[in-house]
Amino acid sequence: YKNICISYIKIEQYENALKFLNTAISLFPNDSDYVKYLGITYKKMGDTLKSKEYLEKAKMMGEGQQR
């Protein structure tokens, strides 16, 4: 999922990235990378409020933490 999400972000297909990120978060809720990428996606979409929320959440979870 990570490579697909990153690819969608890179080619600026943010809606597709959001779909994959939300699916990934439901499958891997403790993986902070997906939460971080969600924050990055919202930032690129211009939603600074949601971006900040998810980036802070990812930081609190501990980046790269997977269980």
Side-chain angles (χ1 to χ4, degrees):
Y1 277 97
K2 285 184 188 173
N3 290 335
I4 293 170
C5 296
I6 292 169
S7 296
Y8 277 131
I9 294 168
K10 285 184 178 181
I11 62 172
E12 300 179 1
Q13 290 191 11
Y14 304 125
E15 294 298 328
N16 286 327
L18 290 177
K19 289 177 190 174
F20 272 88
L21 286 165
N22 285 314
T23 299
I25 289 170
S26 69
L27 294 171
F28 310 103
N30 295 318
D31 189 331
S32 62
D33 285 343
Y34 292 117
V35 178
K36 177 181 74 176
Y37 294 137
L38 194 57
I40 291 167
T41 302
Y42 279 119
K43 183 175 183 177
K44 291 187 174 282
M45 294 175 74
D47 191 336
T48 54
L49 189 61
K50 279 189 179 180
S51 173
K52 185 177 178 181
E53 175 187 340
Y54 285 105
L55 291 173
E56 286 179 2
K57 182 177 179 180
K59 188 175 181 179
M60 292 196 62
M61 291 172 70
E63 286 196 10
Q65 181 180 4
Q66 300 174 11
R67 291 186 194 159

